[in-house]
């Protein structure tokens, strides 16, 4: 039972961290209809900014958790204004190519600024210990990640379903021309949504920094996992992002413990099965067609 409990908590830890990251990718696609291939690079940038603020500037982890995502969101506004605004009305493939170019630019910029070596961020002292839970020892920081993931889940649900901002975002996603006719500033909505998606990616990066070694390829790894999440759950679906993240977290948590030899293959097997039987994802648009 202790092994199952540890695997379950590990699955929640991984799944909710993936949710924080992948839901930003899903929101951007759902509202803007672009596939942001640079999402993983923005996640990486959040982690590296956290490393700079904590290890070099000497700031506490909590300040980095606040400031690094804001910095990445500001960069996202610049990217939107300078580059992305020209391709919103084009085919989705154009956005994929442009954001892939942005990914390469950010990756090379990270190598130039921070180098190609590995960097480490320590968790804050308050969260550096462990506790006994479900018959196993669990890192306090892992419980913190789970708590933040649940808090963001509740906050995003409230934002989309109970606030005027959420209704405006949904209106812009359904029919941008009609939203403009209702005097909604869709240009501001588009920029805000892209910046919000980048902010979520950077929050995920800061949260992941004390858990994973930082290297210039970490964004490439997470964008693959994020795409697996959205393919399983359904591209553009908020509940689908949660479901896909939890499923992938369970695959990693239990697969890593009980099937370590094939654990790296299991996410791709799961994605292939979903594509075979549910091409739009479990909860994606057209999934019931």
């Amino acid at each position: 039972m202790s092994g199952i409990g540890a695997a379950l908590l590990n699955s929640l830890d991984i799944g909710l961290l993936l949710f924080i990251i992948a839901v930003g990718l899903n929101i951007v696609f759902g509202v803007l209809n672009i596939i942001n291939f640079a999402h993983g690079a923005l996640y990486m940038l959040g982690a590296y900014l956290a490393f700079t603020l904590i290890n070099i500037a000497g700031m506490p982890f909590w300040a980095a958790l606040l400031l690094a995502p804001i910095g990445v969101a500001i960069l996202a506004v610049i990217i939107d204004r300078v580059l992305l605004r020209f391709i919103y009305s084009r085919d989705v493939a154009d956005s994929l190519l442009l954001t892939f170019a942005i990914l390469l630019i950010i990756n090379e910029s990270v190598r130039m600024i921070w180098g190609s070596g590995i960097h480490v961020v320590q968790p804050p002292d308050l969260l550096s210990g462990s506790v006994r839970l479900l018959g196993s020892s669990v890192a306090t920081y892992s419980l913190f990640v789970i708590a933040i993931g649940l808090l963001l889940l509740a906050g995003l649900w409230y934002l989309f379903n109970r606030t005027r901002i959420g209704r405006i975002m949904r209106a812009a996603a359904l029919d941008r021309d009609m939203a403009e006719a209702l005097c909604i500033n869709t240009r501001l909505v588009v920029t805000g949504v892209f910046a919000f998606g980048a902010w979520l990616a950077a929050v995920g990066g800061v949260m992941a920094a004390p858990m994973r070694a930082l290297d210039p390829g970490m964004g490439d790894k997470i964008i693959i996992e994020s795409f697996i999440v959205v393919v399983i759950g359904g591209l553009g679906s908020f509940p689908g992002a949660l479901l896909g993240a939890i499923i992938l977290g369970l695959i990693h948590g239990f697969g890593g413990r009980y099937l370590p030899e094939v654990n790296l293959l299991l996410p791709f097997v799961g994605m292939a099965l979903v594509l075979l039987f549910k091409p739009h994802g479990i909860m994606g648009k057209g999934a019931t067609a």
Side-chain angles (χ1 to χ4, degrees), residues 145-161:
V145 172
I146 292 172
I148 293 296
L150 292 173
L151 184 64
L152 280 174
L153 169 62
L156 289 170
W157 180 87
Y158 185 83
L159 172 68
F160 292 129
N161 293 282

Side-chain angles (χ1 to χ4, degrees), residues 18-35 153 156-157 160-161 170 173-174 200 226-247 274 278-288:
L18 283 172
F19 168 74
I20 294 171
I21 301 162
V23 73
L25 184 68
N26 244 2
I27 290 170
V28 168
F29 177 81
V31 178
L32 310 185
N33 197 36
I34 69 167
I35 299 176
L153 169 62
L156 289 170
W157 180 87
F160 292 129
N161 293 282
R170 289 160 62 190
L174 291 171
L200 286 168
S226 297
F227 275 124
I228 292 174
V229 167
V230 299
V231 166
I232 291 175
L235 194 58
S237 168
F238 171 70
L242 175 62
L243 178 62
I246 294 300
I247 290 174
V274 170
K278 290 278 189 178
H280 296 280
I282 297 174
M283 303 186 72
K285 298 172 183 177
T288 59

Side-chain angles (χ1 to χ4, degrees), residues 153-289:
L153 169 62
L156 289 170
W157 180 87
Y158 185 83
L159 172 68
F160 292 129
N161 293 282
R162 292 290 185 268
T163 68
R164 183 172 181 270
I165 293 175
R167 290 192 291 271
I168 289 173
M169 290 169 63
R170 289 160 62 190
L174 291 171
D175 192 328
R176 200 172 298 177
D177 293 333
M178 180 61 71
E180 289 180 351
L182 295 173
C183 299
I184 294 174
N185 187 343
T186 56
R187 178 65 258 170
L188 181 61
V189 172
V190 165
T191 301
V193 167
F194 186 74
F196 184 54
W199 180 84
L200 286 168
V203 168
V206 177
M207 297 290 294
M211 303 168 63
R212 304 176 181 180
L214 276 61
D215 68 87
M218 64 185 296
D220 302 339
K221 301 168 190 172
I222 204 67
I223 193 63
I224 293 172
E225 293 196 324
S226 297
F227 275 124
I228 292 174
V229 167
V230 299
V231 166
I232 291 175
L235 194 58
S237 168
F238 171 70
L242 175 62
L243 178 62
I246 294 300
I247 290 174
L248 189 54
L250 289 169
I251 289 174
H252 281 309
F254 283 89
R257 178 170 288 268
Y258 297 108
L259 296 169
E261 299 85 0
V262 295
N263 186 43
L264 293 177
L265 287 176
L266 292 177
F268 300 100
V269 172
M271 180 177 67
L273 290 173
V274 170
L275 285 173
L276 184 62
F277 296 104
K278 290 278 189 178
H280 296 280
I282 297 174
M283 303 186 72
K285 298 172 183 177
T288 59

Side-chain angles (χ1 to χ4, degrees), residues 24-55:
L25 184 68
N26 244 2
I27 290 170
V28 168
F29 177 81
V31 178
L32 310 185
N33 197 36
I34 69 167
I35 299 176
N36 182 16
F37 212 83
H39 195 72
L42 297 171
Y43 153 88
M44 175 182 64
L45 200 55
Y48 270 92
L49 286 177
F51 164 77
T52 301
L53 293 172
I54 296 169
N55 290 27

Side-chain angles (χ1 to χ4, degrees), residues 102-117:
I102 295 170
L103 162 71
L104 297 177
I105 292 170
I106 294 176
N107 281 356
E108 289 306 312
S109 299
V110 166
R111 286 190 177 90
M112 290 173 59
I113 297 171
W114 287 281
S116 299

